[in-house]
Amino acid sequence: MNITFLVGNGFDISLGLHTSYANFYDWYFERDSQSDCIRRFKEEISSNLTNWSDFEIGLGKYAEQFSKETANEFLECYGDAVEAMGEYLNNEQNKLGENWINNIDVDRLKQGIRKFYQEVPSKEQEYIKNAIDTPSEDVVIHFITFNYTNTVDLIVKKLSKELLKAWSRTNTSYKMYVDPNVIHVNGTLNYYPLLGVDNAGQISNEDLKKNEEVYTSVIKSNAVVFLGENWYQEAQKLIQKSRFICVFGMSLGETDGRWWKQIIELLTEKDRRLILFIYTKNPPSKRNILERKRAVDDVVKTILKYGALTNDEKKSVKERILPVFNTEKFLKVQEVPIIKEVVLAVTPSVK
C-alpha cells in the first residue's frame, strides 16, 4: 500500500524560516536593480502586493504589459527574480545550521506520520486504520516536495533509517516504512529551481506564449521537458498508485492546478482519500458546526473546480476530501532555533 505526502512551503515556515513571498519581497526590493525594467518590475510588485501574493500568478499577469518586441525585458525581470529568490532561500536554509536535524523530536514526528489520519472524523479514522492494519502488502510512506530547500530531504533521511511500525497478521509479517527517495517536482536550490506558471493559459499575453524562451523557461512543465528530467512523471505515477494522499503546507492555488486535477480525478475511486492539512489564521471553532461546514465547503469547492467531474461524481468525491485545520499532530517539528544568521550583502536599489 502506498501513502503519499505532498509538502509545500508551509513546512519550511513551520520550522521558523521566512520563506513566504512577502518575506522575499522585503529583501528583493532592497537588492540592486541592474536595469530600468527590473526597477519598474519591483515597483509594480511593491505597489500591488495583493496581486502578487502568489508570485507565479502575478508573473503570468504581468506579461500583458509587454509586446513581442519587449519580450527580452520580461525575461530579464524573470531571470533576475529567479536568481534573487534562489539566493534568498539559500540564505534562509543556511540559518538552520548544520545540526538542526539532530535536535528534532523524532518520536513525535514518527507518531504523527504513523497516525496521519488521527485528526479526521472518527468514521474516516476507522476506515483508514482498518485499511492499514489489514494490508495485502507493506505500507510505504512517500514524500513529494514542492519546495526548493533540503529540509524535507533531511527529515525523510532520518525517518527512513528505521521502521515506523511492524506487525503480523494471519502468520504474515508486515511493516510500515518511509521511502528514502524524495521527489522534488520544482527542482532544488542548486539544480534548476522552477519558478513560473503551470500552463500557457496563465500567461496573459498571446505574443509571449509564442516566444520560445518564455515557453521553455516560464511554463514549468515545459522547463522539465527541456531539462530532460522525469520529476513530473515520477510524481504523477506515485500519486496514481497511492491509496491515501496527504497534503501539508500547500496553497490551493492555480499554479499547482495539474496536481489538484490528478488528485481530484483519482478520488472518483471509492477507496481513495485526500487529507488536506490547512493552516489558517482563523480556523473554524470546534464549538460551531456552521463555521465548520462553511470552512469545509470552501475548501471542497476550491478543490473540485480543478476536476472535470459530473455532479454525481462531485457528490461522491467531496466525501473523500478530509480537511484538517491547523493540525497539532501531523509533521509537527518544533520551530528550530535560528542558530546561524547569514547576512547577504544587498546594495541599495537604483531609484
Side-chain angles (χ1 to χ4, degrees):
M1 178 189 297
N2 295 288
I3 301 169
T4 297
F5 298 162
L6 278 62
V7 182
N9 187 45
F11 178 71
D12 282 353
I13 292 174
S14 73
L15 293 178
L17 297 182
H18 299 154
T19 53
S20 70
Y21 285 132
N23 296 142
F24 165 67
Y25 293 150
D26 288 340
W27 175 82
Y28 185 49
F29 296 153
E30 297 301 318
R31 178 184 167 96
D32 183 29
S33 297
Q34 299 295 325
S35 67
D36 286 342
C37 70
I38 292 174
R39 176 181 53 79
R40 291 193 298 269
F41 178 52
K42 292 178 182 178
E43 290 174 350
E44 164 67 22
I45 297 174
S46 63
S47 62
N48 297 283
L49 286 174
T50 300
N51 294 338
W52 286 86
S53 58
D54 184 319
F55 176 85
E56 294 172 316
I57 291 295
L59 182 71
K61 293 178 179 178
Y62 187 57
E64 67 185 5
Q65 299 191 25
F66 298 84
S67 65
K68 180 166 45 176
E69 291 72 27
T70 59
N72 282 340
E73 292 187 3
F74 174 77
L75 287 165
E76 183 179 354
C77 295
Y78 167 74
D80 186 72
V82 170
E83 288 290 341
M85 191 168 294
E87 185 178 351
Y88 176 78
L89 292 176
N90 189 63
N91 176 63
E92 284 298 309
Q93 177 177 278
N94 288 341
K95 288 179 181 179
L96 291 173
E98 297 179 356
N99 297 313
W100 70 271
I101 191 65
N102 297 321
N103 298 319
I104 67 171
D105 187 341
V106 178
D107 290 337
R108 181 189 185 197
L109 190 58
K110 285 182 177 179
Q111 178 71 2
I113 291 175
R114 273 195 299 264
K115 296 186 177 181
F116 62 90
Y117 51 84
Q118 61 188 316
E119 294 172 283
V120 304
S122 57
K123 181 179 178 181
E124 290 296 335
Q125 283 189 41
E126 183 178 350
Y127 170 75
I128 297 172
K129 183 179 184 302
N130 183 64
I132 291 173
D133 288 346
T134 57
S136 58
E137 58 187 348
D138 289 341
V139 178
V140 188
I141 305 291
H142 306 274
F143 279 81
I144 298 173
T145 179
F146 288 71
N147 301 337
Y148 313 124
T149 58
N150 66 2
T151 53
V152 173
D153 303 75
L154 293 175
I155 290 288
V156 168
K157 182 179 179 181
K158 198 168 188 70
L159 290 173
S160 63
K161 290 182 177 180
E162 54 186 79
L163 298 180
L164 293 177
K165 181 180 177 182
W167 68 104
S168 296
R169 180 174 174 268
T170 59
N171 298 320
T172 303
S173 297
Y174 299 98
K175 56 185 180 293
M176 174 187 281
Y177 63 92
V178 173
D179 177 356
N181 302 300
V182 177
I183 298 175
H184 279 261
V185 294
N186 288 328
T188 67
L189 286 177
N190 296 317
Y191 190 79
Y192 300 109
L194 303 183
L195 186 66
V197 298
D198 181 65
N199 56 73
Q202 293 174 357
I203 297 178
S204 303
N205 187 309
E206 293 302 318
D207 286 331
L208 262 60
K209 288 180 187 179
K210 299 172 185 177
N211 182 288
E212 184 180 358
E213 291 186 330
V214 172
Y215 182 85
T216 302
S217 58
V218 180
I219 301 174
K220 291 185 287 189
S221 56
N222 295 339
V224 173
V225 172
F226 170 76
L227 291 171
E229 297 293 347
N230 294 320
W231 303 334
Y232 277 26
Q233 294 96 318
E234 290 174 358
Q236 287 165 345
K237 288 178 182 178
L238 188 53
I239 291 170
Q240 191 67 33
K241 67 181 184 181
S242 296
R243 182 164 180 183
F244 303 120
I245 298 169
C246 299
V247 178
F248 181 91
M250 290 179 63
S251 72
L252 306 181
E254 295 178 358
T255 49
D256 294 319
R258 72 175 55 246
W259 307 106
W260 297 124
K261 181 177 186 296
Q262 182 187 5
I263 292 169
I264 287 305
E265 292 177 354
L266 197 63
L267 289 176
T268 57
E269 300 175 20
K270 64 181 182 179
D271 64 333
R272 315 274 188 151
R273 294 293 185 275
L274 169 65
I275 302 179
L276 287 170
F277 294 95
I278 297 171
Y279 174 78
T280 173
K281 292 181 179 179
N282 298 299
S285 168
K286 292 183 178 180
R287 297 175 178 172
N288 192 319
I289 295 175
L290 180 58
E291 273 192 25
R292 168 77 184 181
K293 174 176 169 47
R294 287 174 174 172
V296 170
D297 286 350
D298 284 346
V299 170
V300 171
K301 181 180 178 181
T302 300
I303 290 292
L304 286 179
K305 73 179 182 182
Y306 293 107
L309 307 182
T310 66
N311 287 334
D312 286 341
E313 287 174 330
K314 288 180 180 179
K315 184 176 180 180
S316 299
V317 165
K318 69 183 296 186
E319 301 301 321
R320 300 168 192 148
I321 300 173
L322 309 172
V324 174
F325 298 96
N326 296 17
T327 178
E328 297 177 356
K329 298 177 180 179
F330 181 72
L331 279 188
K332 297 302 287 185
V333 180
Q334 68 272 26
E335 187 169 315
V336 179
I338 300 301
I339 62 173
K340 182 180 179 183
E341 286 286 346
V342 179
V343 180
L344 292 179
V346 178
T347 305
S349 70
V350 176
K351 301 298 184 182

